[in-house]
Amino acid sequence: MNIFELRPDATGGFDFVMDGHFLRARIFQDVDRGGIPISLLRRGITSDELEEQFHRLRGQLPGPFFSDRVWLYFCPECYDEGCGGVSVRIQIETDRVLWSDFRYDSEPDTDDESEFFEEDDMIRGLGPFVFDRTEYEEALSRTAEALDRAFSAFWRNADHLDTVTLGLESLAFRRDKRESKTNEKTRLQWTVDSRPLAQLLQTAANELPKVFRELSSDLNYSVVQPNSVSHIEDGRNTLRMLLGELIWDELPGRVPLLVGECLDIPCGVITTRVRRSGSTVTWSNFAVHGGGAEELFHAYPPELHFTFDSRQHDKTLRRVLESI
């Protein structure tokens, strides 16, 4: 039998290790470019998506498109199958687990697997691999526990977060409605050390009441959206609030950060308080509001906060403000 392990890799996640060799390196060993697909097993993925991936690896959930085909590597920007990646056929037996038929994959346009894949999609010379089921499941459990601890440490440990880098980038989420490859995903999202803020908040949202937890999962997009003409002014105002140049009339002392796909604050919004102290700027006291700022809201755990270097923070904001 083959030896199955999961180990931290250079991308910041956990990779599959077969007989002492990282699987991702074996698949993409001849590829010298950015954007190489990565494992979904990493901090920064929402806990629900991470749990779903572990269930699929254990054979407890069907694959996203074909029942026994599980995705291993995803687009490093949005984790969306529509962007392409790598999948494998996983068969769970009484005392062993079989991985076979590795393929380059994407979102199918047919329900018939035999009609979807082409000859060039097959990854030759890789597998099949046969693992002891007990050892296989123990490796998955150890990694799940490690990621759970990492989630908690990431947003609870203030020292770890001080200081971080603010960004405003074009990203997309796996759960968003998949679009054709010809459509660019241009909605902007706040990032903290290149991690989507919405995903970090979703991790913390596990302690919110169910109704607010579900609401927060839909609030992924920055209020700042230069490509949406009808929302440009909302974006400018948010930037000025974060710079300390404007106060939000609807809820003084708070700043709207994240909204849903419609980009309208009245549909629901995540807000924060901004505090400046010397050379730092801190976002804290996050809250999710149902149906706009004036409706019922619920606060995130008070330990959740992000501290930025004020120069980097303000430079990022002013660059965007000057462009819209």
Side-chain angles (χ1 to χ4, degrees):
M1 286 195 179
N2 301 101
I3 298 175
F4 177 85
E5 299 175 274
L6 285 158
R7 298 181 190 169
D9 65 6
T11 72
F14 282 82
D15 192 16
F16 309 99
V17 178
M18 313 304 191
D19 299 328
H21 300 283
F22 283 96
L23 181 62
R24 181 173 179 267
R26 293 183 62 179
I27 294 174
F28 300 104
Q29 59 183 331
D30 298 324
V31 179
D32 184 18
R33 60 179 175 82
I36 296 176
I38 60 178
S39 163
L40 199 66
L41 307 181
R42 64 189 53 249
R43 184 180 63 194
I45 303 298
T46 63
S47 58
D48 288 345
E49 290 173 333
L50 193 58
E51 183 178 7
E52 180 180 277
Q53 180 69 355
F54 277 114
H55 281 320
R56 284 176 171 160
L57 291 168
R58 292 187 177 103
Q60 297 167 342
L61 281 177
F65 304 119
F66 304 117
S67 60
D68 60 349
R69 179 162 290 280
V70 177
W71 276 64
L72 300 179
Y73 298 108
F74 299 76
C75 167
E77 295 186 1
C78 65
Y79 312 118
D80 190 331
E81 292 95 337
C83 293
V86 172
S87 67
V88 65
R89 189 178 308 282
I90 296 182
Q91 296 169 266
I92 307 293
E93 300 179 356
T94 302
D95 58 356
R96 67 178 195 165
V97 178
L98 175 65
W99 282 25
S100 62
D101 193 18
F102 291 82
R103 293 180 183 265
Y104 298 108
D105 211 335
S106 61
E107 184 178 5
D109 53 8
T110 175
D111 293 332
D112 189 337
E113 183 177 345
S114 65
E115 295 179 357
F116 172 63
F117 289 107
E118 300 178 358
E119 190 71 16
D120 290 343
D121 294 329
M122 183 179 296
I123 302 176
R124 303 184 184 281
L126 188 65
F129 298 103
V130 180
F131 311 114
D132 177 87
R133 182 173 177 179
T134 299
E135 294 178 357
Y136 176 85
E137 293 184 345
E138 286 177 351
L140 291 175
S141 295
R142 285 195 301 270
T143 305
E145 292 172 2
L147 284 169
D148 184 59
R149 291 193 300 270
F151 274 135
S152 178
F154 184 81
W155 60 267
R156 287 182 184 275
N157 189 337
D159 292 335
H160 178 71
L161 295 173
D162 192 16
T163 62
V164 290
T165 301
L166 176 66
L168 190 59
E169 305 174 29
S170 297
L171 301 172
F173 281 81
R174 293 183 65 238
R175 61 175 171 270
D176 288 346
K177 182 179 180 181
R178 297 187 178 90
E179 302 173 341
S180 69
K181 293 183 179 179
T182 58
N183 293 331
E184 294 184 2
K185 299 171 181 177
T186 56
R187 293 282 173 86
L188 294 182
Q189 297 176 27
W190 297 108
T191 62
V192 176
D193 278 351
S194 298
R195 299 178 178 91
L197 173 62
Q199 288 189 345
L200 299 177
L201 292 176
Q202 185 62 21
T203 300
N206 289 332
E207 296 191 17
L208 298 181
K210 181 179 179 181
V211 62
F212 288 101
R213 186 167 64 247
E214 293 176 348
L215 173 61
S216 69
S217 69
D218 294 326
L219 304 178
N220 298 325
Y221 302 108
S222 166
V223 176
V224 183
Q225 298 293 338
N227 294 330
S228 177
V229 176
S230 59
H231 299 91
I232 285 179
E233 196 58 34
D234 286 342
R236 289 195 185 107
N237 289 338
T238 287
L239 292 169
R240 294 189 182 108
M241 293 176 207
L242 292 170
L243 288 165
E245 300 172 355
L246 186 68
I247 295 177
W248 194 19
D249 292 336
E250 283 79 0
L251 205 58
R254 303 200 71 83
V255 178
L257 286 180
L258 295 167
V259 290
E261 190 172 4
C262 70
L263 303 182
D264 292 327
I265 291 175
C267 295
V269 61
I270 292 176
T271 68
T272 189
R273 292 188 182 276
V274 178
R275 178 173 58 85
R276 291 178 174 269
S277 177
S279 61
T280 62
V281 178
T282 300
W283 293 8
S284 60
N285 300 114
F286 289 88
V288 56
H289 305 253
E294 297 180 355
E295 299 299 325
L296 293 176
F297 74 94
H298 201 285
Y300 283 83
E303 298 90 347
L304 178 65
H305 65 273
F306 304 98
T307 300
F308 309 96
D309 175 86
S310 60
R311 290 173 297 180
Q312 187 277 326
H313 175 275
D314 292 355
K315 182 178 180 180
T316 299
L317 300 177
R318 292 194 186 282
R319 173 177 53 79
V320 178
L321 184 59
E322 291 170 359
S323 70
I324 60 176

